[in-house]
Amino acid sequence: MKKKKILIRIGSLRHGGAEKVLVTFLKNLPNDLYEIDLLLNLYSGKYLNEVPDWINIIYLNKGEMITTNRLQDIPEKAARVIFQKVLKEFPDLLYTFILKDKKYDIEFAAIHGMRDEILHSTNQSSKKIMWIHNDLSQVKEYTDEEIRKFFRFDKVMVISEKIENLFLNLAQNESEKQKIVRIYNPLDTDEILIKAEQPVVNYEFDKNIPTFISVGTVFPQKGFDRLLKVHKKLLDEGFKHKILIVGDGYDFENIKTLKSQLGVDETATMLGFTENPYPYFKNADFYILSSRYEGFPTVLFEAITLKKKIIATEVSGVNEMLNNGELGLITENSEEGIYEGMKKALTAPESFKVYQEKMQTYTMPFNLQNSVEKIVSVLNNL
């Protein structure tokens, strides 16, 4: 059987949810069916070493992501931006000189930010797939008109019921509706449980003081600013507790500055990036999702796997993930909602036992094998 030639595009393989999901998918993909080129804008990230050897990695630039505007960093940062913009504006250069005029059967945008790069491909005959991980209705620049551009793809894979409904409501005919397919993110439960048994480093948990952990890329959408403000308010009201934020991102320094401005450096810790966040999950008392918006917060899958007490703002995917509130406390998507959820955890921690009891007998529908098989089916049927 002739292998399908596939080009997959993503910015980098840094420590974000979409990156983790993509690499988990690639690790579980049958290597006898496909010939895959993975094109990165930046050859960087913790997941690079996890990409299977049979997948060919191509990149536009190499090095760590530059998130600051220090004078010494500006020339390299500007050079990368200009180079990538030129290739986006003139795709012939990319396909001729970097991809060597290779003809692909399928071109696959692994994040919505790669929409235009794939749609402007010089491979007119290739089938185009989009994988959407965010609720774009909550992203300011994505008007209905912008979102409708995704219907130019042959298939649009979405990761939650809310995102699926967004696209179905914008579809103008049955043909467009048929392009939308909901596939839950492929995640490896066994890997999470094994890694959680490793020791905690660079942090000390105090069993006498409740710790709320939040894990994610430090972007404004994650709402870490809201979390710290609520933390300060509860401390001022006399509720002893600690906050642990695990992750890195371009908003890291802003959130770190806010932490100092609020005067909570002693009780709130920003651990930064860690290869293995799961021991921190395991040892914390509560997991809190403070996001302003999500697509399908895979971090809750990890928290459920580790049977944590969960508080989450009502964003896309949370009701599905928490089985409509059976597995965790869902709060209003606001600073006040976060406050009420955390206050309940501190004043009535016993009320969370009902969620953990449900988790003991709950079978998650987000099965790794099912998700991979469904994506493979999409690839094979194009």
Side-chain angles (χ1 to χ4, degrees), residues 286 309 344-357:
F286 297 92
K309 300 169 188 171
K344 185 173 183 180
L346 293 168
T347 57
E350 69 282 354
S351 65
F352 283 76
K353 286 182 181 177
V354 65
Y355 303 128
Q356 292 188 298
E357 287 169 1

PDB file of all heavy atoms in Angstrom, residues 286 309 344-357:
ATOM      1  N   PHE A 286      -5.806  21.178  45.802  1.00  0.00           N
ATOM      2  CA  PHE A 286      -6.850  21.511  44.830  1.00  0.00           C
ATOM      3  C   PHE A 286      -6.210  21.854  43.487  1.00  0.00           C
ATOM      4  O   PHE A 286      -5.125  22.446  43.448  1.00  0.00           O
ATOM      5  CB  PHE A 286      -7.675  22.722  45.292  1.00  0.00           C
ATOM      6  CG  PHE A 286      -8.441  22.502  46.559  1.00  0.00           C
ATOM      7  CD1 PHE A 286      -7.874  22.826  47.786  1.00  0.00           C
ATOM      8  CD2 PHE A 286      -9.729  21.978  46.543  1.00  0.00           C
ATOM      9  CE1 PHE A 286      -8.570  22.628  48.966  1.00  0.00           C
ATOM     10  CE2 PHE A 286     -10.438  21.774  47.717  1.00  0.00           C
ATOM     11  CZ  PHE A 286      -9.858  22.106  48.932  1.00  0.00           C
ATOM     12  N   LYS A 309      -9.182  17.334  43.650  1.00  0.00           N
ATOM     13  CA  LYS A 309     -10.342  18.206  43.888  1.00  0.00           C
ATOM     14  C   LYS A 309     -10.195  19.383  42.924  1.00  0.00           C
ATOM     15  O   LYS A 309      -9.166  20.062  42.913  1.00  0.00           O
ATOM     16  CB  LYS A 309     -10.350  18.701  45.331  1.00  0.00           C
ATOM     17  CG  LYS A 309     -10.422  17.594  46.376  1.00  0.00           C
ATOM     18  CD  LYS A 309     -10.144  18.157  47.757  1.00  0.00           C
ATOM     19  CE  LYS A 309     -10.024  17.040  48.780  1.00  0.00           C
ATOM     20  NZ  LYS A 309      -9.537  17.519  50.090  1.00  0.00           N
ATOM     21  N   LYS A 344     -15.111  28.420  48.943  1.00  0.00           N
ATOM     22  CA  LYS A 344     -15.818  27.190  49.299  1.00  0.00           C
ATOM     23  C   LYS A 344     -14.819  26.083  49.629  1.00  0.00           C
ATOM     24  O   LYS A 344     -15.017  25.303  50.567  1.00  0.00           O
ATOM     25  CB  LYS A 344     -16.730  26.751  48.157  1.00  0.00           C
ATOM     26  CG  LYS A 344     -17.586  25.529  48.501  1.00  0.00           C
ATOM     27  CD  LYS A 344     -18.596  25.215  47.418  1.00  0.00           C
ATOM     28  CE  LYS A 344     -19.475  24.028  47.822  1.00  0.00           C
ATOM     29  NZ  LYS A 344     -20.468  23.704  46.781  1.00  0.00           N
ATOM     30  N   ALA A 345     -13.747  26.009  48.846  1.00  0.00           N
ATOM     31  CA  ALA A 345     -12.718  24.991  49.093  1.00  0.00           C
ATOM     32  C   ALA A 345     -12.073  25.181  50.465  1.00  0.00           C
ATOM     33  O   ALA A 345     -11.754  24.203  51.151  1.00  0.00           O
ATOM     34  CB  ALA A 345     -11.656  25.052  48.003  1.00  0.00           C
ATOM     35  N   LEU A 346     -11.916  26.431  50.872  1.00  0.00           N
ATOM     36  CA  LEU A 346     -11.247  26.729  52.137  1.00  0.00           C
ATOM     37  C   LEU A 346     -12.178  26.633  53.349  1.00  0.00           C
ATOM     38  O   LEU A 346     -11.737  26.304  54.451  1.00  0.00           O
ATOM     39  CB  LEU A 346     -10.614  28.127  52.072  1.00  0.00           C
ATOM     40  CG  LEU A 346      -9.456  28.266  51.077  1.00  0.00           C
ATOM     41  CD1 LEU A 346      -9.087  29.731  50.878  1.00  0.00           C
ATOM     42  CD2 LEU A 346      -8.251  27.461  51.528  1.00  0.00           C
ATOM     43  N   THR A 347     -13.449  26.921  53.137  1.00  0.00           N
ATOM     44  CA  THR A 347     -14.388  26.900  54.265  1.00  0.00           C
ATOM     45  C   THR A 347     -15.136  25.580  54.383  1.00  0.00           C
ATOM     46  O   THR A 347     -15.573  25.207  55.473  1.00  0.00           O
ATOM     47  CB  THR A 347     -15.420  28.039  54.137  1.00  0.00           C
ATOM     48  OG1 THR A 347     -16.113  27.911  52.883  1.00  0.00           O
ATOM     49  CG2 THR A 347     -14.739  29.401  54.191  1.00  0.00           C
ATOM     50  N   ALA A 348     -15.295  24.869  53.262  1.00  0.00           N
ATOM     51  CA  ALA A 348     -16.038  23.602  53.293  1.00  0.00           C
ATOM     52  C   ALA A 348     -15.357  22.560  52.413  1.00  0.00           C
ATOM     53  O   ALA A 348     -15.942  22.063  51.443  1.00  0.00           O
ATOM     54  CB  ALA A 348     -17.487  23.827  52.819  1.00  0.00           C
ATOM     55  N   PRO A 349     -14.087  22.205  52.741  1.00  0.00           N
ATOM     56  CA  PRO A 349     -13.356  21.245  51.898  1.00  0.00           C
ATOM     57  C   PRO A 349     -14.030  19.891  51.810  1.00  0.00           C
ATOM     58  O   PRO A 349     -13.868  19.178  50.811  1.00  0.00           O
ATOM     59  CB  PRO A 349     -11.990  21.143  52.593  1.00  0.00           C
ATOM     60  CG  PRO A 349     -12.221  21.620  53.983  1.00  0.00           C
ATOM     61  CD  PRO A 349     -13.293  22.649  53.896  1.00  0.00           C
ATOM     62  N   GLU A 350     -14.831  19.547  52.823  1.00  0.00           N
ATOM     63  CA  GLU A 350     -15.529  18.254  52.806  1.00  0.00           C
ATOM     64  C   GLU A 350     -16.552  18.170  51.674  1.00  0.00           C
ATOM     65  O   GLU A 350     -16.920  17.072  51.226  1.00  0.00           O
ATOM     66  CB  GLU A 350     -16.208  17.997  54.159  1.00  0.00           C
ATOM     67  CG  GLU A 350     -17.402  18.899  54.485  1.00  0.00           C
ATOM     68  CD  GLU A 350     -17.026  20.297  54.965  1.00  0.00           C
ATOM     69  OE1 GLU A 350     -15.817  20.556  55.167  1.00  0.00           O
ATOM     70  OE2 GLU A 350     -17.944  21.120  55.128  1.00  0.00           O
ATOM     71  N   SER A 351     -17.010  19.325  51.170  1.00  0.00           N
ATOM     72  CA  SER A 351     -18.001  19.323  50.090  1.00  0.00           C
ATOM     73  C   SER A 351     -17.417  18.783  48.788  1.00  0.00           C
ATOM     74  O   SER A 351     -18.158  18.453  47.856  1.00  0.00           O
ATOM     75  CB  SER A 351     -18.550  20.739  49.866  1.00  0.00           C
ATOM     76  OG  SER A 351     -17.531  21.607  49.394  1.00  0.00           O
ATOM     77  N   PHE A 352     -16.081  18.686  48.698  1.00  0.00           N
ATOM     78  CA  PHE A 352     -15.434  18.185  47.480  1.00  0.00           C
ATOM     79  C   PHE A 352     -15.332  16.660  47.469  1.00  0.00           C
ATOM     80  O   PHE A 352     -14.955  16.076  46.453  1.00  0.00           O
ATOM     81  CB  PHE A 352     -14.047  18.816  47.321  1.00  0.00           C
ATOM     82  CG  PHE A 352     -14.078  20.235  46.820  1.00  0.00           C
ATOM     83  CD1 PHE A 352     -14.428  21.271  47.676  1.00  0.00           C
ATOM     84  CD2 PHE A 352     -13.796  20.538  45.505  1.00  0.00           C
ATOM     85  CE1 PHE A 352     -14.481  22.584  47.228  1.00  0.00           C
ATOM     86  CE2 PHE A 352     -13.845  21.843  45.041  1.00  0.00           C
ATOM     87  CZ  PHE A 352     -14.188  22.876  45.902  1.00  0.00           C
ATOM     88  N   LYS A 353     -15.661  16.027  48.592  1.00  0.00           N
ATOM     89  CA  LYS A 353     -15.582  14.568  48.655  1.00  0.00           C
ATOM     90  C   LYS A 353     -16.516  13.905  47.654  1.00  0.00           C
ATOM     91  O   LYS A 353     -16.200  12.858  47.088  1.00  0.00           O
ATOM     92  CB  LYS A 353     -15.898  14.084  50.070  1.00  0.00           C
ATOM     93  CG  LYS A 353     -14.784  14.343  51.075  1.00  0.00           C
ATOM     94  CD  LYS A 353     -15.138  13.796  52.458  1.00  0.00           C
ATOM     95  CE  LYS A 353     -14.023  14.080  53.459  1.00  0.00           C
ATOM     96  NZ  LYS A 353     -14.376  13.608  54.823  1.00  0.00           N
ATOM     97  N   VAL A 354     -17.672  14.520  47.414  1.00  0.00           N
ATOM     98  CA  VAL A 354     -18.654  13.930  46.493  1.00  0.00           C
ATOM     99  C   VAL A 354     -18.079  13.829  45.081  1.00  0.00           C
ATOM    100  O   VAL A 354     -18.349  12.875  44.342  1.00  0.00           O
ATOM    101  CB  VAL A 354     -19.973  14.738  46.506  1.00  0.00           C
ATOM    102  CG1 VAL A 354     -19.775  16.154  45.968  1.00  0.00           C
ATOM    103  CG2 VAL A 354     -21.049  14.021  45.692  1.00  0.00           C
ATOM    104  N   TYR A 355     -17.260  14.823  44.701  1.00  0.00           N
ATOM    105  CA  TYR A 355     -16.638  14.792  43.369  1.00  0.00           C
ATOM    106  C   TYR A 355     -15.623  13.660  43.277  1.00  0.00           C
ATOM    107  O   TYR A 355     -15.571  12.931  42.281  1.00  0.00           O
ATOM    108  CB  TYR A 355     -15.936  16.126  43.080  1.00  0.00           C
ATOM    109  CG  TYR A 355     -16.817  17.344  43.167  1.00  0.00           C
ATOM    110  CD1 TYR A 355     -16.453  18.435  43.952  1.00  0.00           C
ATOM    111  CD2 TYR A 355     -18.008  17.435  42.451  1.00  0.00           C
ATOM    112  CE1 TYR A 355     -17.243  19.580  44.028  1.00  0.00           C
ATOM    113  CE2 TYR A 355     -18.808  18.562  42.521  1.00  0.00           C
ATOM    114  CZ  TYR A 355     -18.416  19.630  43.314  1.00  0.00           C
ATOM    115  OH  TYR A 355     -19.208  20.747  43.386  1.00  0.00           O
ATOM    116  N   GLN A 356     -14.810  13.514  44.310  1.00  0.00           N
ATOM    117  CA  GLN A 356     -13.787  12.475  44.292  1.00  0.00           C
ATOM    118  C   GLN A 356     -14.391  11.075  44.340  1.00  0.00           C
ATOM    119  O   GLN A 356     -13.865  10.141  43.746  1.00  0.00           O
ATOM    120  CB  GLN A 356     -12.811  12.690  45.444  1.00  0.00           C
ATOM    121  CG  GLN A 356     -11.963  13.947  45.249  1.00  0.00           C
ATOM    122  CD  GLN A 356     -10.864  14.073  46.273  1.00  0.00           C
ATOM    123  OE1 GLN A 356     -11.126  14.168  47.470  1.00  0.00           O
ATOM    124  NE2 GLN A 356      -9.624  14.072  45.816  1.00  0.00           N
ATOM    125  N   GLU A 357     -15.529  10.942  45.029  1.00  0.00           N
ATOM    126  CA  GLU A 357     -16.225   9.651  45.040  1.00  0.00           C
ATOM    127  C   GLU A 357     -16.717   9.289  43.646  1.00  0.00           C
ATOM    128  O   GLU A 357     -16.647   8.133  43.229  1.00  0.00           O
ATOM    129  CB  GLU A 357     -17.388   9.702  46.031  1.00  0.00           C
ATOM    130  CG  GLU A 357     -16.932   9.687  47.502  1.00  0.00           C
ATOM    131  CD  GLU A 357     -18.063   9.993  48.469  1.00  0.00           C
ATOM    132  OE1 GLU A 357     -19.219  10.195  47.995  1.00  0.00           O
ATOM    133  OE2 GLU A 357     -17.810  10.055  49.689  1.00  0.00           O
TER     134      GLU A 357
END
